[in-house]
């Protein structure tokens, strides 16, 4: 079977894997298909953190009607099967037990407990393993997972809306509404796909946001506020929405319902916060802060992706100017009515293609 055919089935694995977005972190998104004689006889994906992996769902699906064909089929999986006991048993053992003769993987798992061990176990059991097929796309699929383990910090996504002339806020108490209702719903979908959402203290106080994904289904993200003093009004809506909130600061340690004030002892507040988030296994952060917080992350290179919404029909004339990216590469651009949605990546992140 040539490389082109392998890529087709891996593309299906990628499609399936994405169905787990927002539900499987800190695990990677993984999809798997079983193919016999040019036909898919089983499909599966990792659906929920702590539960069965993609390979398990795929084989269970094949067992329903094609049990007799599994020992002659090829398993395609977007990421190297695990070889260790975690929340679930090793998938490599499952593949060997079902006598699947060939496995095609999208890329190796860089997590230290796996990282080649799954492939080695399969090969030692006589399973033919094919690699280096659609590797770049396989890595990009799990850019959060690989960034987290490779850079020892969460994957950081910056988001802001701006007018055609580059204004993101009025600069006064009056709120400047820039994006349209459809784009706003898209933003809530983006929130549902990340582990946490972050703002600075000024945004938390001035805008009093909910910081949730009420306009989209899925798991609500952890709420994070970055505040040097930690002095925030306890009646802010983000503290009373029923979801966890963490306030990273230099002076306070306390709790208020599901809100926790976390004292950062590092001289660098942002770096110290990211180290603590890594320790607490928060794999991605969606930053919707104000201009100062966003620009500081850009200037220090602590960002991986930027999603900018520009209302090309709105000119503000004056107000607070939007941040300026540096060392970025354009990934994609799309239009939603008068809103242009542009996505950039940081050129220094090797896990985004």
């Amino acid at each position: 079977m040539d490389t082109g055919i392998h890529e087709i089935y891996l593309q299906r694995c990628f499609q399936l894997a994405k169905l787990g977005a927002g539900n499987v972190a800190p695990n990677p998104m993984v999809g798997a298909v079983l193919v016999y004689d040019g036909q898919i006889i089983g499909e599966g994906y990792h659906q929920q953190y702590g539960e069965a992996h993609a390979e398990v769902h795929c084989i269970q699906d094949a067992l329903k009607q094609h049990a007799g064909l599994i020992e002659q089929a090829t398993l395609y999986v977007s990421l190297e099967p695990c070889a260790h006991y975690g929340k679930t048993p090793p998938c490599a053992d499952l593949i060997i037990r079902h006598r699947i003769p060939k496995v095609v993987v999208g890329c190796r798992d860089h997590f230290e407990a796996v990282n080649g061990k799954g492939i080695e176990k399969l090969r030692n059991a006589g399973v033919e393993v094919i690699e280096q097929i659609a590797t770049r796309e396989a890595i990009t699929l799990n850019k959060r997972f690989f960034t987290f383990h490779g850079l020892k910090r969460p994957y950081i996504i910056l988001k802001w809306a701006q007018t055609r002339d580059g204004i993101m806020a009025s600069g006064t108490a009056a709120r400047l509404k820039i994006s349209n209702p459809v784009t706003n719903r898209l933003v809530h979908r983006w929130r549902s796909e990340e582990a946490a959402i972050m703002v600075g203290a000024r945004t938390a106080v001035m805008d009093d946001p909910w910081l949730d994904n009420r306009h989209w289904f899925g798991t609500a993200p952890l709420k994070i506020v970055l505040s040097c003093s930690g002095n925030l009004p306890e009646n802010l809506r983000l503290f009373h929405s029923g979801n966890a909130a963490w306030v990273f600061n230099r002076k306070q340690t306390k709790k208020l319902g599901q809100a926790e004030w976390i004292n950062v002892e590092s001289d660098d507040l942002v770096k110290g916060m990211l180290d603590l988030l890594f320790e607490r296994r928060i794999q991605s952060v969606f930053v919707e802060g104000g201009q100062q917080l966003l620009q500081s992350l850009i200037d220090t290179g602590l960002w991986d992706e930027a999603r900018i919404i520009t209302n090309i029909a709105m000119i503000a004339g004056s107000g607070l100017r939007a941040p300026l990216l540096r060392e970025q590469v354009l990934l994609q651009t799309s239009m939603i009515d008068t809103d242009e949605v542009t996505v950039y990546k940081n050129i220094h992140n090797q896990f985004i293609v």
Side-chain angles (χ1 to χ4, degrees), residues 209-223:
W210 287 103
L211 297 185
D212 60 15
N213 57 315
R214 62 192 177 279
H215 297 311
W216 195 264
F217 60 89
T219 304
L222 166 73
K223 302 170 185 184

Side-chain angles (χ1 to χ4, degrees), residues 27 49-53 84-89 281:
N27 282 354
Y49 173 69
E51 298 182 3
H53 290 185
H84 68 293
Y85 281 88
K87 295 283 186 180
T88 60
R281 302 183 71 193

Side-chain angles (χ1 to χ4, degrees), residues 198 224 226 248 264 268-277:
M198 183 171 74
I224 296 174
L226 191 64
F248 288 95
V264 179
D268 187 327
L269 182 60
V270 174
K271 181 63 168 57
M273 175 196 67
L274 293 177
D275 289 342
L276 289 171
L277 289 176

Side-chain angles (χ1 to χ4, degrees), residues 113-280:
V114 186
N115 201 8
K117 296 182 180 69
I119 291 173
E120 181 182 14
K121 178 176 279 193
L122 291 173
R123 285 177 172 157
N124 288 341
V127 179
E128 180 185 357
V129 180
I130 298 176
E131 300 181 74
Q132 306 300 319
I133 307 291
T135 300
R136 288 159 61 92
E137 189 167 351
I139 292 174
T140 297
L141 171 68
N142 282 302
K143 55 194 176 185
R144 297 163 181 81
F145 178 78
F146 287 121
T147 296
F148 182 78
H149 290 286
L151 301 182
K152 307 301 181 185
R153 64 163 174 77
Y155 185 86
I156 301 172
I157 301 172
L158 311 181
K159 172 267 169 183
W160 70 84
Q162 62 185 24
T163 62
R164 184 175 179 178
D165 54 344
I167 300 299
M168 70 177 301
S170 65
T172 67
R175 189 166 184 178
L176 183 62
K177 295 184 178 180
I178 298 175
S179 52
N180 65 53
V182 178
T183 310
N184 289 339
R185 188 173 292 269
L186 172 64
V187 171
H188 280 243
R189 191 194 87 184
W190 288 343
R191 291 177 178 180
S192 74
E193 295 171 348
E194 308 310 328
I197 178 172
M198 183 171 74
V199 296
R202 179 177 173 81
T203 298
V205 174
M206 295 290 292
D207 294 350
D208 194 15
W210 287 103
L211 297 185
D212 60 15
N213 57 315
R214 62 192 177 279
H215 297 311
W216 195 264
F217 60 89
T219 304
L222 166 73
K223 302 170 185 184
I224 296 174
V225 181
L226 191 64
S227 168
C228 286
S229 68
N231 293 326
L232 298 172
E234 294 186 353
N235 63 349
L236 290 179
R237 290 189 291 195
L238 68 91
F239 294 142
H240 301 280
S241 63
N243 299 110
W246 293 349
V247 180
F248 288 95
N249 69 97
R250 293 190 184 280
K251 298 182 178 180
Q252 301 186 42
T253 300
K254 67 177 183 178
K255 288 190 176 181
L256 172 69
Q258 287 190 276
E260 179 182 0
W261 273 250
I262 301 170
N263 183 21
V264 179
E265 297 180 356
S266 170
D267 292 337
D268 187 327
L269 182 60
V270 174
K271 181 63 168 57
M273 175 196 67
L274 293 177
D275 289 342
L276 289 171
L277 289 176
F278 179 78
E279 290 178 12
R280 295 182 178 215

Side-chain angles (χ1 to χ4, degrees), residues 28 39 176 202 234 302 311 320:
Q39 298 294 319
L176 183 62
R202 179 177 173 81
E234 294 186 353
L302 290 172
N311 186 335
L320 185 65

